[in-house]
Amino acid sequence: MAALSPFSSYSKASIIVLIICSLLMMFMGRSSAKLTTDYYKKTCPKVFSAVESVVKDAIQKEKRMGASLLRLHFHDCFVQGCDGSVLLDDTSSFTGEKTAAPNNNSVRGFNVVDDIKSKVESVCPGVVSCADILAIGARDSIALLGGPKWDVKLGRRDSKTASFSVANSGVIPPPTSNLGNLINRFQDRGLSTKDMVVLSGAHTIGQARCTLYRNRIYNETNIDASLARKRQRNCPRISGSGDNNLAPLDLKTPTFFDNSYYKNLIKKKGLLHSDQILYNGSSTDSLIKLYSKNPKAFNDDFVTAIIKMGDISPLTGSNGEIRKNCRRIN
Ligand code: HEM
Ligand SMILES: *[C@@H]1O[C@H](CO)[C@@H](O)[C@H](O)[C@H]1NC(C)=O
Ligand SMILES: *[C@@H]1O[C@H](CO)[C@@H](O)[C@H](O)[C@H]1NC(C)=O
Ligand SMILES: *[C@@H]1O[C@H](CO)[C@@H](O)[C@H](O)[C@H]1NC(C)=O
C-alpha cells in the first residue's frame, strides 16, 4: 500500500497543476481576446461617424487619399500585426518603419490619420486605438470610392514598438516579386493564395512611382505595347530621372473601387510586375478570369480577405496601449 501513496499524491499534484493551467489559459485567453464588430458599442458609439467624416473630407480634397489609407492598413498589418506600428515617427533614439524600403517616400496619409485621431479623441478620449482607426479608415475609403462596405472587427491596441528591420526584410513583398514569393509572403501571415490574389485587387485604386514600374515598361514582354509606350512618356528609361513620376495602377478607373484591375490583367495592362505575374500562364489565372467577369465574387472575396488581414496578430486585452498621438508612444 505504501507504493500507492506516492501515486495518489502525484495525481493530487497533477490535478492542481491542471487547475492552475486552466486558470492560466483562461487568463491568457482573455488578454488575447478576439476582435469584435461591437467593441466600441458602449465606450465610443460615435467612432464610426467621426472616422467617416474625416475620411470623406480628405477624399473630397484628394481622391487618391482613399488608396493611401488602405495601403497604410496593409503595411501596418504585415509588420508585427495590425498594431499601428507603421504610424510611429522616428526619434533620436529610435528608427521606426517609415523609412523601410516598402514605405520610404511611398506610404502617405499620416496627416489624415492625425486628423481622424483628433476627431475621435474629441468624442471619446483615450478609447480608440490607432490600429483600429487604420482598419476603419481603410473600410470607409473603399466604401466611399464605390466599393463594398462591411462591419469592421475592432479591439486592437497600439504597439509600444515598431520594427525597421522587419519592415525592411521583405515581409511586405516588393513589386519585383515572382509569384512564389507573393504566395509565400502572404502565407507567412496566414493568408492564402486566393486572399493574395483578391487583396491585390486593391490596386484598382491609387498610384505608383516610375522607379517601381520602369523595368516592366521597358523590358517585359507580357505588357500591352500601347500601355508600355504611354507609360514610357512619363517615366524615362534612365534610372534617377523621373523616379517619382506617378502613374495609376488601374489605367481605367483609378479612383473607383471596382474589378477593372482584373480586366486590365487579362489585357496585359497590369502596371507592376507583381500585378501581371498573377495572370501569366499559372495557377492564379483562373481567379483573375473569375474576378474580371464577376464583380460580386470580387467584392465578397475581398471583404472576407481584408477581414482576415485585419486579424493578423492584434494586441488585445492588457497588451500594448491606446496611443494619445498615433505618431508616438504614450
Ligand atoms: C501582393 C503584393 C503587393 C505588392 C508587391 C504591392 C506593391 C505596391 C507598390 C509597389 C505600390 C506603389 C508604391 C509606390 O509607388 O511608392 C503599391 C501601391 C498600392 N498598394 Fe500595393 N502591393 C501589394 C499588395 C497590396 C495589398 C494587399 C493592398 C491592400 C489591401 C495594397 C494596396 C495598395 C494601394 C491602395 C496602393 C496605392 C497607394 C497610393 O496611391 O497611395 N497593395 N503597392
Ligand atoms: C529614404 O529616402 C530618403 C530620401 O530619398 C533618403 O535620403 C534616405 O536614405 C532613405 N532612407 C532609407 C533608410 O533608405
Ligand atoms: C532592362 O534589363 C537590363 C538587363 O537586366 C537592365 O540592365 C536594364 O537596366 C533594364 N532596363 C530598365 C529600363 O529597367
Ligand atoms: C510570362 O510568361 C511568358 C510565357 O511563358 C514568359 O516568356 C515570360 O517571361 C513571363 N513573364 C514574366 C514577367 O514572368
Side-chain angles (χ1 to χ4, degrees):
M1 284 303 110
L4 266 183
S5 86
F7 276 100
S8 63
S9 66
Y10 173 76
S11 53
K12 258 182 216 158
S14 62
I15 285 168
I16 290 168
V17 167
L18 245 161
I19 290 170
I20 289 172
C21 282
S22 330
L23 284 171
L24 254 171
M25 279 166 71
M26 274 169 65
F27 175 75
M28 282 163 52
R30 201 156 289 178
S31 72
S32 64
K34 290 243 186 313
L35 305 180
T36 55
T37 56
D38 62 356
Y39 188 79
Y40 295 114
K41 196 174 180 178
K42 294 216 173 81
T43 53
C44 192
K46 289 183 177 159
V47 65
F48 298 113
S49 54
V51 176
E52 196 198 17
S53 71
V54 180
V55 173
K56 202 171 186 172
D57 285 352
I59 289 178
Q60 236 152 47
K61 283 200 194 99
E62 187 203 17
K63 286 258 169 118
R64 185 189 174 194
M65 191 49 72
S68 306
L69 291 174
L70 170 57
R71 187 162 183 245
L72 273 182
H73 181 45
F74 164 49
H75 284 209
D76 182 31
C77 291
F78 265 53
V79 179
Q80 302 188 162
C82 312
D83 61 356
S85 58
V86 73
L87 302 174
L88 289 176
D89 278 343
D90 292 357
T91 69
S92 54
S93 58
F94 161 86
T95 305
E97 295 165 17
K98 289 184 175 179
T99 58
N103 296 335
N104 201 19
N105 306 308
S106 184
V107 285
R108 58 199 295 280
F110 298 110
N111 292 334
V112 174
V113 174
D114 291 341
D115 292 348
I116 301 172
K117 179 66 171 171
S118 308
K119 178 96 183 197
V120 169
E121 288 296 294
S122 76
V123 290
C124 7
V127 172
V128 180
S129 68
C130 299
D132 277 348
I133 282 174
L134 289 182
I136 305 170
R139 187 276 305 266
D140 289 349
S141 295
I142 289 173
L144 288 163
L145 296 174
K149 190 164 184 176
W150 63 96
D151 292 336
V152 204
K153 288 168 72 176
L154 299 165
R156 302 169 190 82
R157 289 164 63 85
D158 298 321
S159 68
K160 297 180 192 172
T161 60
S163 181
F164 175 87
S165 58
V166 173
N168 207 41
S169 68
V171 294
I172 298 170
T176 49
S177 298
N178 60 29
L179 183 59
N181 190 53
L182 296 176
I183 291 172
N184 289 333
R185 298 295 72 80
F186 277 67
Q187 196 168 65
D188 290 346
R189 294 291 168 271
L191 299 169
S192 67
T193 299
K194 181 177 175 179
D195 295 329
M196 184 274 289
V197 170
V198 78
L199 287 169
S200 294
H203 291 175
T204 180
I205 53 175
Q207 307 272 323
R209 292 171 300 144
C210 164
T211 185
L212 298 172
Y213 60 81
R214 177 181 281 126
N215 185 61
R216 170 149 172 78
I217 62 176
Y218 286 102
N219 272 344
E220 293 190 354
T221 52
N222 60 348
I223 184 169
D224 173 84
S226 72
L227 177 70
R229 275 196 303 274
K230 187 172 175 167
R231 292 297 168 242
Q232 285 169 7
R233 271 183 242 131
N234 195 38
C235 180
R237 182 189 291 269
I238 310 301
S239 165
S241 53
D243 282 3
N244 295 325
N245 293 356
L246 294 173
L249 286 158
D250 168 4
L251 71 160
K252 281 247 161 109
T253 50
T255 61
F256 198 69
F257 195 95
D258 58 13
N259 68 335
S260 57
Y261 171 80
Y262 300 98
K263 296 182 183 171
N264 297 335
L265 296 185
I266 304 266
K267 296 183 216 149
K268 303 187 181 175
K269 289 182 175 178
L271 183 65
L272 303 175
H273 172 82
S274 52
D275 293 325
Q276 197 60 55
I277 203 73
L278 303 178
Y279 187 77
N280 197 47
S282 77
S283 59
T284 52
D285 286 14
S286 53
L287 278 170
I288 303 301
K289 282 186 199 145
L290 168 69
Y291 297 139
S292 73
K293 287 186 204 138
N294 190 335
K296 181 171 158 40
F298 169 55
N299 282 354
D300 291 351
D301 292 353
F302 186 91
V303 166
T304 303
I306 198 169
I307 290 171
K308 227 167 131 182
M309 186 179 90
D311 249 332
I312 299 173
S313 316
L315 296 170
T316 56
S318 56
N319 295 320
E321 63 182 13
I322 304 298
R323 272 181 225 149
K324 291 188 173 68
N325 177 328
C326 293
R327 293 174 180 268
R328 44 189 164 267
I329 60 174
N330 293 342

